[in-house]
Amino acid sequence: MARGRSLGRRFGWLWGAYAVSTAGTWLAFDAFALIAVLVLDAGPAQVALLAAVGPAVGAVVSVPLGPWVEVRRKRPVMIATDLVRCAVLLSVPLAFALGRLGFGQLLLVSVAVAAADLTFNAAAGAYLKELVPGRDLLVANGRFEATSWTAAMVGPPLGGAAVGLLGPVTTVAADAVSHLLSAAGLRAIGGPEKRVVRPVARPKAGDLAAGWRHILADPALRPLFFNTVLFNALVMAGTPPLLVLMVGELHFAPWQYALAFALPCAGGLLGSRLAPRLVARYGGHRVLRAAGTLRACWPLALALTGPGTSGLVLVVLVEFGLITCCGVFNPVLATHRLERTPADRVTRTLSAWSATGKATTAAVTALWGVLAGLTGPRTALALTGLLLLATPLLLPRRDHTAGAGARTATRAPEPEPDGG
């Protein structure tokens, strides 16, 4: 069965590099917010600013990098962004040790890391499409999805314990080392990378919008783009009100709040393993519509969260259902997006998609913070759930998968491999 077979030594190194950097990222989950509160005595406004400004500005910074990355070999770009992330993250424990750490530095580092994350992910998507045969893309994306949810399940509790035992900057240092190990893993992949034909003319300002033009012109990607950007922004915007409701009003302990989000990540593992089987049986379009619809049905129940064990169980069950559906949806979406995107614009398309998502999430999260302050966390959660119920209307109604691979091949012939 395709789901269980090896995808080769080179993919194994790529998967290993992804696993170690993802583990480091989740180990350091919310590390900057903790440092801001524990070390710099930052208030809620500064913590919200740190959470919103870094990803938003990083998204803007990453946009002009898309055309630049498109005409370069992707593996060296991925290694370079890993090294950049390692260097800027290491500046935080270094400044802390010297007694010079400030809020401004945390903001700058969060921007640099966000821009490097987006650039890395865009280059990695293009590299994966070159490295893995089209028939195995769903299997590969499913393995990445399972790895991500495993790290999300294990990393934050371990990170919290590490901060308690070893200090507030410990997980940031570990995250930096994880990116260094990722760069080493990418270097170990070896083998040739296809030659990128660089344009003779200088890049134009219009090249920055090539990714968005491709997304908006494609009848399948356009609705998926609007659906995922809105869905992800609303889900993330509901997280701060839920934290305030559980920890503030209902007096759950911080470990209970963490447990309520760690346990359901097992649903991501389940969903990512089910995705190839479901696609083989029902087809990618039907799976996208079903999983995309079901994942929107869960969050409204979070507004009903009450005190005690029953409230905690409700949150765990809701999050498990939501994450399981996302575990099915995400690898199918990632595969479909690569299949429908010509090789000469994969990086710009992924950059445009991710940058829009990051910026929208930051804006909606900030807006929901104001809304929760005016109306209370339950009302904010209820409105989030109601709006999410409308997101399935943005899913593609027709199956556009037929002929996608042929159309992509016609528009983007593969360049010849070089010997390097």
Side-chain angles (χ1 to χ4, degrees), residues 177-202:
V177 173
S178 77
H179 291 301
L180 184 63
L181 294 175
S182 173
L186 293 171
R187 180 70 179 84
I189 291 176
E193 188 172 347
K194 293 178 181 178
R195 181 188 303 133
V196 178
V197 180
R198 300 188 183 184
V200 177
R202 293 182 177 181

Side-chain angles (χ1 to χ4, degrees), residues 29 234-245 257 261 319 381 384:
F29 180 70
L234 288 171
V235 168
M236 295 305 297
T239 301
L242 183 59
L243 185 151
V244 172
L245 176 64
Y257 176 77
F261 290 93
E319 292 293 333
L381 284 169
T384 298

Side-chain angles (χ1 to χ4, degrees), residues 111-197:
V111 169
V113 170
D117 284 345
L118 291 170
T119 303
F120 180 95
N121 291 336
Y127 186 66
L128 179 65
K129 185 171 182 175
E130 172 189 327
L131 188 66
V132 175
R135 66 181 182 277
D136 290 331
L137 277 176
L138 179 57
V139 178
N141 282 313
R143 291 177 184 177
F144 288 142
E145 185 76 8
T147 301
S148 180
W149 287 116
T150 301
M153 181 168 50
V154 177
L158 290 180
V163 168
L165 292 173
L166 303 174
V169 299
T170 303
T171 57
V172 177
D175 192 15
V177 173
S178 77
H179 291 301
L180 184 63
L181 294 175
S182 173
L186 293 171
R187 180 70 179 84
I189 291 176
E193 188 172 347
K194 293 178 181 178
R195 181 188 303 133
V196 178
V197 180

Side-chain angles (χ1 to χ4, degrees), residues 82-300:
D82 264 337
L83 295 178
V84 167
R85 288 185 286 187
C86 176
V88 297
L89 286 169
L90 281 178
S91 73
V92 173
L94 178 61
F96 175 75
L98 297 175
R100 303 295 297 272
L101 182 62
F103 186 77
Q105 181 179 350
L106 288 182
L107 273 178
L108 290 175
V109 172
S110 68
V111 169
V113 170
D117 284 345
L118 291 170
T119 303
F120 180 95
N121 291 336
Y127 186 66
L128 179 65
K129 185 171 182 175
E130 172 189 327
L131 188 66
V132 175
R135 66 181 182 277
D136 290 331
L137 277 176
L138 179 57
V139 178
N141 282 313
R143 291 177 184 177
F144 288 142
E145 185 76 8
T147 301
S148 180
W149 287 116
T150 301
M153 181 168 50
V154 177
L158 290 180
V163 168
L165 292 173
L166 303 174
V169 299
T170 303
T171 57
V172 177
D175 192 15
V177 173
S178 77
H179 291 301
L180 184 63
L181 294 175
S182 173
L186 293 171
R187 180 70 179 84
I189 291 176
E193 188 172 347
K194 293 178 181 178
R195 181 188 303 133
V196 178
V197 180
R198 300 188 183 184
V200 177
R202 293 182 177 181
K204 301 177 182 178
D207 292 338
L208 298 178
W212 283 288
R213 284 199 300 268
H214 170 65
I215 293 169
L216 297 178
D218 189 287
L221 294 185
R222 182 174 60 250
L224 287 169
F225 173 69
F226 288 121
N227 171 270
T228 55
V229 167
L230 180 59
F231 176 87
N232 292 337
L234 288 171
V235 168
M236 295 305 297
T239 301
L242 183 59
L243 185 151
V244 172
L245 176 64
M246 292 184 67
V247 178
E249 295 188 6
L250 301 178
H251 305 294
F252 284 100
W255 69 266
Q256 291 175 308
Y257 176 77
L259 187 68
F261 290 93
L263 289 178
C265 289
L269 291 174
L270 175 63
S272 63
R273 291 183 65 84
L274 286 175
R277 294 181 178 182
L278 293 173
V279 169
R281 183 168 182 175
Y282 299 107
H285 172 71
R286 294 179 67 183
V287 171
L288 281 174
R289 281 195 59 84
T293 300
L294 289 174
R295 67 178 183 165
C297 298
W298 297 92
L300 182 59

